[in-house]
Amino acid sequence: MTAMAPARTCTDLSFLLDHTSHVLRSRMAAALAEIGLTARMHCVLVHALEEERTQIQLAEIGDMDKTTMVVTVDALEKEGLAERRPSSTDRRARIIAVTEKGAEVAERSQVIVDRVHRDAIDSLPDDEREVLVRALTRLSREHLGTPVEAPQVVRRARQK
Amino acid sequence: MTAMAPARTCTDLSFLLDHTSHVLRSRMAAALAEIGLTARMHCVLVHALEEERTQIQLAEIGDMDKTTMVVTVDALEKEGLAERRPSSTDRRARIIAVTEKGAEVAERSQVIVDRVHRDAIDSLPDDEREVLVRALTRLSREHLGTPVEAPQVVRRARQK
DNA sequence: TATTGTTATACTCTATAACTATA
DNA sequence: TATAGTTATAGAGTATAACAATA
């Protein structure tokens, strides 16, 4: 399921945001899948290209857990798009180095991402485009800046 | 994790929609939890109050799977907020009848939902409020109306 | 044969716990 | 002691498969 449907609600902002983000996400996933990437792989590639970054740094940027990062980097390595290299300053850390093939793919994926976003924005009348982006930016920085964290799940120890 | 962070992207609409919807969802969940409801329970209560509806009808309205609906109705029954009643016209179907207590809770939950939405909208400058809602409504009806469906997961048969 | 609702459970996703190597 | 990265897996969420009752 995706979202809560509207009720007597003044404006069902929950529905609007859930629905639009879900559909956009599905479009993005489908578009990136055509060149064999997930949104996360794209995200890591792009930020790893900008400068030398470790897995932890890339995980923070993409708001992923470090264990999710491991899986994402595994996928990138398997496709020959990136490599783990030892950091010259910290022998615990791995720099994610984008390969030549990875750089090419990243360029293509950025075009795809931009197109999917532009198609959505351009579907709106002129006078709504700029304001939509401005309002969402403001919300995401201010009132809807940080999630209320859900109560921690206490988990029992691993077997063996 | 929540969203993909911005890149060189013109405007990272994915990030904006994912982030705002995620944070709003977390706020709504926290607010409704104070009276023991989930967003789904609220959704079912409200739509079951409007008119006589079966589980399937309520599932469609809330965009849930029928098996998710079973769980949601179980929760409502356990709390004494709703009851399953046989339909007078179709002996396979169950009408979800909201109890008196359920109606009271629904009234309170609707106040909560409206407040959470209003707080978000009111955090914006006057000139952005209306346009934001209009643009999101347009997107959710038109360009971002229907998700690209993901490839079906083929599952093996149940054991035994 | 098709549909409503139910149970059982397969699968995906995410993140905790525990561990190794290093700081 | 604390941190980067890894592995194993627990747990939540969701939806498919199968089934009983009924249309």
Side-chain angles (χ1 to χ4, degrees):
Chain A
M1 92 132 224
T2 311
M4 192 171 66
R8 283 175 284 134
T9 321
C10 325
T11 304
D12 197 339
L13 189 64
S14 297
F15 170 78
L16 291 176
L17 290 176
D18 283 353
H19 184 83
T20 51
S21 74
H22 174 245
V23 176
L24 184 61
R25 188 190 280 261
S26 80
R27 291 189 174 247
M28 191 63 82
L32 287 174
E34 293 192 9
I35 59 170
L37 288 192
T38 62
R40 275 183 190 141
M41 288 163 81
H42 163 78
C43 181
V44 169
L45 277 185
V46 168
H47 292 286
L49 271 169
E50 289 168 358
E51 55 181 278
E52 287 218 337
R53 285 185 166 130
T54 65
Q55 287 190 204
I56 286 267
Q57 290 170 333
L58 290 166
E60 252 162 49
I61 290 171
D63 196 17
M64 297 175 229
D65 190 87
K66 61 181 181 173
T67 59
T68 305
M69 191 66 203
V70 170
V71 178
T72 306
V73 175
D74 284 350
L76 289 172
E77 275 202 324
K78 199 177 141 199
E79 299 300 319
L81 304 177
E83 290 166 8
R84 289 167 164 101
R85 295 209 187 134
S87 161
S88 51
T89 57
D90 184 340
R91 284 202 292 170
R92 293 169 305 178
R94 316 290 191 90
I95 301 295
I96 302 307
V98 179
T99 64
E100 201 162 318
K101 184 180 168 198
E104 283 163 26
V105 168
E107 201 151 323
R108 289 209 287 150
S109 65
Q110 189 62 51
V111 170
I112 290 173
V113 168
D114 288 342
R115 179 173 44 78
V116 170
H117 285 159
R118 190 116 304 281
D119 284 352
I121 303 261
D122 285 353
S123 79
L124 293 172
D126 285 9
D127 62 319
E128 291 178 10
R129 292 176 197 172
E130 207 192 325
V131 181
L132 171 73
V133 172
R134 201 183 329 135
L136 286 176
T137 303
R138 194 189 305 276
L139 280 177
S140 73
R141 282 190 189 144
E142 299 171 16
H143 187 77
L144 298 179
T146 30
V148 180
E149 74 253 59
Q152 282 274 92
V153 183
V154 188
R155 196 197 277 188
R156 66 173 214 267
R158 252 163 65 190
Q159 294 299 31
K160 283 215 212 120
Chain B
M1 88 133 226
T2 309
M4 192 173 65
R8 282 177 282 134
T9 321
C10 324
T11 304
D12 198 339
L13 190 63
S14 296
F15 171 79
L16 291 175
L17 289 176
D18 283 351
H19 184 83
T20 51
S21 74
H22 174 245
V23 176
L24 184 61
R25 187 189 282 259
S26 81
R27 289 187 177 249
M28 190 63 81
L32 287 175
E34 292 192 9
I35 59 170
L37 288 192
T38 61
R40 276 184 190 142
M41 288 163 81
H42 162 77
C43 180
V44 170
L45 278 185
V46 167
H47 293 286
L49 271 168
E50 287 168 357
E51 56 180 278
E52 287 218 337
R53 285 185 166 130
T54 65
Q55 286 189 203
I56 286 268
Q57 289 170 333
L58 290 166
E60 252 162 48
I61 290 172
D63 195 17
M64 295 175 230
D65 190 87
K66 62 180 181 173
T67 59
T68 305
M69 191 68 202
V70 170
V71 178
T72 307
V73 175
D74 284 350
L76 289 172
E77 274 201 324
K78 198 176 142 200
E79 299 299 321
L81 304 176
E83 289 166 10
R84 289 167 164 101
R85 294 209 187 133
S87 161
S88 49
T89 57
D90 183 340
R91 284 202 291 169
R92 293 170 306 179
R94 317 291 191 88
I95 300 294
I96 303 308
V98 179
T99 64
E100 201 162 317
K101 184 180 168 197
E104 283 163 25
V105 168
E107 201 151 323
R108 289 209 287 150
S109 64
Q110 190 60 53
V111 170
I112 290 173
V113 168
D114 287 342
R115 178 173 45 76
V116 171
H117 286 158
R118 190 115 304 282
D119 285 352
I121 303 261
D122 285 353
S123 78
L124 293 171
D126 285 9
D127 62 318
E128 292 179 11
R129 292 177 199 172
E130 206 192 326
V131 181
L132 172 73
V133 173
R134 199 178 336 132
L136 287 176
T137 303
R138 194 189 305 276
L139 280 177
S140 72
R141 283 190 188 143
E142 299 171 18
H143 187 77
L144 298 179
T146 30
V148 180
E149 74 253 59
Q152 283 272 94
V153 183
V154 188
R155 198 197 276 189
R156 68 173 213 265
R158 253 164 63 190
Q159 294 299 28
K160 277 207 222 142

